[in-house]
Amino acid sequence: MSNLSASASNLTQRLMDQDAPTKAFLFVTPCVIFLYVNGVMLFTLRKKAVFQETSRYILFGHMLWVDTLNLFMSVVLYICAVSRILIMKNVCLLLLIAATALFQVSTLNLALMSLERYVAICFPLRHAEFTSFKRTHTAICVVWVLGLIQCLSEMIIFYSFDTTNIAMNLFCSRTTLFRLQIYKKFDITFTCIFFVLVCFVIIFTYASIAAVAKTAACDKLSAKKANKTVLLHLIQLGLGASSILVGVVQEAIYVYTDFLTALNVMYFCFLVFIIFPKCLSPLIYGVRDQAFCCLFKYYFTFGKGKVKPVTIELHV
């Protein structure tokens, strides 16, 4: 019986090693491409003062920074996992804490971007007042404070009460590092609260913009574009919310399927529900915004295209 188990284990390991290059290619390639796209977009935002002073572009730039860091950390952790590299406990803690904070801040930033579109359409005369440079950065600071609450709580528990981690080096994942049940409760609680809050804000702004669009005093084209943007944010939030179910799916497939199938399903869920929404972010705003897109294409093609004068349309 032990020989059969050993043979099965060796076969599974060989199959995993055969699939590893293909999976690594499918995972790393889109991440690298969108890291480059995000990098060019961030560079573009720094080239015009108007992009650094307008609330819409400030929030867009903040989203790009957060998603870029999140993608980069995902690539690093994936490479460590594929290479079976053990990471120091404290370093792993910092990586996981940072990943959690970035994920939650990215989710909350969707609410800010939807609210900015809501103000632009529903209160156009007071848009500049409500979304001033100072207020926009204050809102971003509030989002970071909210996003760090869970992280600080987990760090306090880890260093004050958690005695389950005695190894100095380990395979870096939330499952291996955070073994106490309280971590899981914290994760589920905060994630659900943030997603419900952001979902409410996005649905409220979508409905409000749709209602205003029916009035004669509203710019129909601007309202239609704003509602499409908010709807895309809702789709993006839905993909992000699906990532909550990844943990449930993982536990189920471990019970009802073999180990190799479980790994393949976990890989698919990670790629579709965690990585893809981050790659979707630049396409929602950067490509659809005409003022930004022209300059972005110029830098993306290393200056081979033509640059049109940058004109900011308030309600894009």
Side-chain angles (χ1 to χ4, degrees), residues 116-156:
E116 188 277 329
R117 292 293 81 204
Y118 163 74
V119 173
I121 299 300
C122 299
F123 304 97
L125 299 180
R126 304 191 66 183
H127 179 260
E129 176 189 350
F130 287 152
T131 61
S132 64
F133 181 87
K134 183 178 181 180
R135 289 187 175 182
T136 302
H137 281 85
T138 300
I140 290 174
C141 290
V142 171
V143 161
W144 272 99
V145 170
L146 293 175
L148 288 172
I149 292 176
Q150 178 186 344
C151 300
L152 294 175
S153 302
E154 289 179 341
M155 287 186 70
I156 292 172

Side-chain angles (χ1 to χ4, degrees), residues 51-64:
F51 292 151
Q52 302 176 45
E53 298 168 357
T54 308
S55 61
R56 183 177 68 221
Y57 296 106
I58 293 173
L59 294 174
F60 175 48
H62 178 244
M63 178 188 67
L64 281 177

Side-chain angles (χ1 to χ4, degrees), residues 137-311:
H137 281 85
T138 300
I140 290 174
C141 290
V142 171
V143 161
W144 272 99
V145 170
L146 293 175
L148 288 172
I149 292 176
Q150 178 186 344
C151 300
L152 294 175
S153 302
E154 289 179 341
M155 287 186 70
I156 292 172
I157 294 172
F158 186 85
Y159 285 114
S160 301
F161 308 105
D162 193 348
T163 58
T164 60
N165 289 283
I166 56 175
M168 290 302 297
N169 301 309
L170 72 165
F171 178 78
C172 191
S173 70
R174 289 190 66 90
T175 304
T176 57
L177 188 69
F178 298 140
R179 300 180 182 181
L180 296 179
Q181 197 66 22
I182 190 172
Y183 294 122
K184 192 172 184 179
K185 293 180 180 179
F186 263 112
D187 194 34
I188 293 174
T189 301
F190 278 98
T191 303
C192 290
I193 290 174
F194 288 151
F195 270 99
V196 170
L197 175 64
V198 175
C199 186
F200 172 79
V201 170
I202 292 178
I203 292 175
F204 168 77
T205 54
Y206 182 86
S208 299
I209 293 172
V212 171
K214 295 180 180 180
T215 64
C218 178
D219 184 342
K220 305 293 185 183
L221 180 60
S222 297
K224 184 178 180 180
K225 288 182 178 180
N227 245 0
K228 283 185 178 180
T229 300
V230 175
L231 183 60
L232 286 169
H233 286 328
L234 185 61
I235 294 172
Q236 189 179 1
L237 179 69
L239 289 172
S242 301
S243 65
I244 303 175
L245 302 177
V246 172
V248 179
V249 172
Q250 289 177 0
E251 293 181 3
I253 60 179
Y254 270 129
V255 175
Y256 297 107
T257 64
D258 59 276
F259 181 68
L260 187 60
T261 303
L263 285 179
N264 290 331
V265 173
M266 287 167 57
Y267 172 81
F268 175 80
C269 290
F270 186 74
L271 193 64
V272 173
F273 298 120
I274 296 179
I275 298 302
F276 178 69
K278 301 306 175 188
C279 297
L280 188 65
S281 299
L283 300 179
I284 291 179
Y285 253 65
V287 177
R288 295 178 65 247
D289 189 293
Q290 294 301 317
F292 177 83
C293 189
C294 293
L295 197 58
F296 164 71
K297 288 180 179 178
Y298 174 79
Y299 290 116
F300 187 79
T301 56
F302 302 100
K304 294 181 179 179
K306 295 182 178 180
V307 181
K308 298 179 180 179
V310 177
T311 56

